[in-house]
Amino acid sequence: MAIDTHIRLDFDKSVIDMVVFDIVGKQSGPTMLVTGGVDGDEYAGMEACHRLRKAYAGRNFSGRLIIIPVVNVPGFTNGTSINPIDGNYPKLVGLGHARGTSSERLMHWVVSTYARHADAWIDLHGGSLTEELVPFLWVYRTGVKKIDQRNTTLCAVSPLPTVLVEKAGWFAKAGLLARKGCWYVVVEAGQLGRRDAKSISHHVRVVQSIVGLLGMDPVKLKYQKFPVTPLSRVQYATAPFPSLWTPMVHAGDKVIKNQELGVLCGADGTIIQSLLSKERGVVLWNMISMSVKPGCILAAVGFRK
């Protein structure tokens, strides 16, 4: 049974109208939350949410599948990653706060209403309108044995060849949720805001793999012929000052230590600083926009141990 609900969230100065697809299987089982559009201009994950709704409505599966295709509705409406009401990225406010900013309240609502009561939360992301990105699966070492074992199995059946297994801090979202019994997984696919068929398929296939892994649907899990050696650390190359950015690499490129990732220039085009790779790794995503602000992540390079 599928129930499509329109919910109005009134956060003092901001009102957010959200759509939630709530699909209950024919047998009892785990609860999974799937979200898209936490960044408001990452469209492949949003499209995948609608595909998943069609795939599982009326399907004979066990448990409950809750799908929110667009979380950051204000950002989606304005064609931007951030929530324009408070200028924050909802993905960066952790579990949120009931009395915080618009983004903090939004994420607190998602977590308190759904995630804290779910067995898994699959968060679909990708490259924004100004980001190149290589598809990858992003999971976390949490120290919670059950969750970490699931991550190991997921890496073995993931349809994405690039996997990042990053250590979750004690107060990080993935760690806090794991200690509440919720498995948090990020899927990254799609770039430059596109919703191409391949990227949408990446999102759908990962969610279907997790549905099978949790025993919600008796799908046959396909283990990779050659085990993936996951990335374990990330270098975030950021802009230290307002400048003009020229990237020298693209998402998916393999880089060596001290390789130039890009250069920062002044308004007259004079090179002020080069950003270098700290080790040998692979570019997971990079910014292609020209004008950048301090603190803006311009490239992310994943490293193995």
Side-chain angles (χ1 to χ4, degrees):
M1 179 177 67
I3 301 175
D4 299 347
T5 306
H6 293 259
I7 297 174
R8 171 160 286 198
L9 304 174
D10 190 350
F11 299 144
D12 294 336
K13 297 181 180 180
S14 61
V15 176
I16 298 174
D17 292 312
M18 185 178 295
V19 175
V20 178
F21 305 141
D22 195 345
I23 309 171
V24 179
K26 296 184 178 180
Q27 295 85 32
S28 60
T31 295
M32 178 188 293
L33 170 65
V34 179
T35 54
V38 173
D39 283 331
D41 58 353
E42 297 177 354
Y43 304 121
M46 303 178 197
E47 184 69 38
C49 285
H50 287 277
R51 303 268 179 108
L52 289 164
R53 190 261 181 219
K54 292 178 181 178
Y56 285 96
R59 187 167 176 167
N60 184 20
F61 72 97
S62 301
R64 182 184 179 193
L65 182 60
I66 302 164
I67 303 172
I68 307 177
V70 182
V71 173
N72 181 6
V73 176
F76 173 71
T77 302
N78 286 270
T80 180
S81 294
I82 64 171
N83 177 354
I85 295 171
D86 59 13
N88 293 326
Y89 289 91
K91 65 183 177 185
L92 299 181
V93 300
L95 303 186
H97 194 283
R99 297 182 180 179
T101 66
S102 174
S103 295
E104 289 173 327
R105 292 187 180 201
L106 176 60
M107 295 312 296
H108 177 267
W109 179 83
V110 171
V111 170
S112 61
T113 306
Y114 298 113
R116 285 189 182 274
H117 313 291
D119 297 278
W121 176 6
I122 317 305
D123 198 8
L124 307 183
H125 282 266
S128 69
L129 292 170
T130 59
E131 288 177 339
E132 293 182 332
L133 179 138
V134 60
F136 67 99
L137 178 70
W138 196 347
V139 296
Y140 299 86
R141 300 190 306 275
T142 65
V144 178
K145 185 176 180 179
K146 181 179 180 180
I147 301 296
D148 292 345
Q149 286 177 338
R150 286 177 178 173
N151 284 328
T152 299
T153 304
L154 178 59
C155 290
V157 301
S158 170
L160 302 184
T162 302
V163 177
L164 171 61
V165 184
E166 195 173 19
K167 184 178 180 180
W170 184 259
F171 295 106
K173 181 189 300 180
L176 292 170
L177 288 169
R179 294 193 291 277
K180 295 289 184 180
C182 179
W183 176 27
Y184 181 67
V185 176
V186 176
V187 186
E188 296 274 5
Q191 60 176 342
L192 303 174
R194 298 171 186 161
R195 44 178 174 165
D196 59 286
K198 188 173 183 179
S199 297
I200 295 166
S201 176
H202 284 323
H203 286 295
V204 171
R205 289 171 60 202
V206 172
V207 172
Q208 290 174 332
S209 296
I210 297 173
V211 166
L213 194 154
L214 291 177
M216 298 172 68
D217 200 9
V219 297
K220 185 176 181 181
L221 297 174
K222 184 178 180 181
Y223 285 80
Q224 295 187 12
K225 185 175 182 180
F226 301 101
V228 172
T229 301
L231 306 169
S232 60
R233 292 175 294 112
V234 183
Q235 172 193 351
Y236 299 103
T238 60
F241 42 75
S243 52
L244 303 181
W245 166 245
T246 301
M248 297 297 181
V249 295
H250 296 282
D253 285 354
K254 294 180 180 179
V255 296
I256 61 175
K257 185 176 181 179
N258 292 327
Q259 180 171 337
E260 196 170 56
L261 302 176
V263 295
L264 298 169
C265 300
D268 60 355
T270 302
I271 296 177
I272 302 174
Q273 182 176 334
S274 294
L275 299 183
L276 308 178
S277 175
K278 292 182 178 180
E279 297 180 36
R280 180 186 299 272
V282 60
V283 180
L284 296 174
W285 75 83
N286 67 283
M287 190 75 70
I288 65 166
S289 59
M290 192 172 184
S291 177
V292 295
K293 299 178 181 179
C296 178
I297 298 177
L298 303 175
V301 182
F303 308 119
R304 293 185 169 87
K305 294 181 178 179

